[in-house]
């Protein structure tokens, strides 16, 4: 039996060795690229047909294909500040702008939250004369608190 975390590392290794892009894998299963990467890194369960297709493309063992289908424990499981620079900067951005975003959500929508369950996310590149920009779109359904 392979855990979801072990499967994620095996997927990363196989993808690196093969030179296949995340976008190619997403296209192969008909899913958005960010969702696909998150699933392959252990944050979503894949349907059997999706997991098998990824297994074929990356030449993964049946144990890994099975692990890709398992229900995950979402999140990192740790509340420590991450040390990876890219992930740290996202934490930093939320630390700086999170309270302002929260206030604006409450002002616009009322008392509630943005869902991370009914959620879409996208990462794109925007050319800019001063250096290309990373554009991250977080698109979550508003869920009001019911008291």
């Amino acid at each position: 039996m392979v855990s979801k975390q072990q499967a994620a590392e095996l997927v990363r290794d196989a993808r690196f060795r093969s030179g296949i892009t995340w976008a190619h894998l997403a296209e192969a299963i008909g899913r958005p690229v960010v969702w696909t990467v998150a699933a392959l890194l252990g944050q979503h369960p894949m349907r059997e047909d999706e997991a098998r297709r990824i297994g074929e493309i990356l030449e993964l063992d049946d144990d890994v294909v099975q692990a890709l289908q398992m229900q995950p424990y979402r999140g990192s499981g740790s509340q420590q500040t991450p040390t990876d620079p890219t992930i740290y900067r996202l934490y930093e951005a939320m630390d700086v702008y999170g309270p302002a975003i929260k206030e604006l959500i409450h002002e616009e929508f009322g008392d509630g939250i943005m869902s991370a369950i009914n959620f879409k996310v996208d990462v794109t590149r925007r050319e800019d004369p001063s250096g290309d920009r990373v554009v991250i779109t977080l698109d979550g359904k508003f869920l009001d608190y019911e008291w």
Side-chain angles (χ1 to χ4, degrees):
M1 181 79 176
V2 173
S3 72
K4 285 196 83 67
Q5 292 79 18
Q6 292 167 325
E9 288 305 312
L10 292 167
V11 165
R12 289 181 72 229
D13 182 58
R15 193 194 67 80
F16 178 78
R17 282 186 287 105
S18 69
I20 294 171
T21 65
W22 294 114
H24 176 81
L25 295 172
E27 185 177 312
I29 62 171
R31 291 281 201 154
V33 68
V34 176
W35 183 93
T36 301
V37 175
L40 292 173
L41 295 181
Q43 295 299 307
H44 300 298
M46 300 184 96
R47 295 188 318 251
E48 182 179 1
D49 62 307
E50 295 167 338
R52 290 206 180 285
R53 182 70 181 122
I54 295 296
E56 291 168 5
I57 294 169
L58 295 178
E59 300 177 6
L60 300 171
D61 292 339
D62 286 342
D63 282 352
V64 177
V65 171
Q66 182 178 345
L68 294 174
Q69 298 171 65
M70 292 173 57
Q71 186 66 37
Y73 285 91
R74 289 185 170 92
S76 67
S78 171
Q79 295 303 311
Q80 296 177 354
T81 303
T83 57
D84 176 84
T86 302
I87 297 171
Y88 172 78
R89 291 299 180 240
L90 291 169
Y91 270 68
E92 179 184 38
M94 284 300 109
D95 194 33
V96 171
Y97 295 104
I101 292 169
K102 175 184 169 48
E103 289 295 325
L104 292 168
I105 288 171
H106 291 310
E107 182 177 88
E108 181 69 25
F109 294 93
D111 188 17
I113 62 170
M114 178 180 72
S115 173
I117 296 170
N118 187 336
F119 192 75
K120 297 175 186 169
V121 61
D122 192 30
V123 178
T124 57
R125 178 185 201 135
R126 188 179 76 228
E127 291 183 14
D128 188 284
S130 66
D132 289 356
R133 311 290 292 183
V134 176
V135 179
I136 301 171
T137 303
L138 305 175
D139 182 348
K141 179 179 179 181
F142 178 75
L143 301 174
D144 60 331
Y145 283 111
E146 295 181 13
W147 301 103

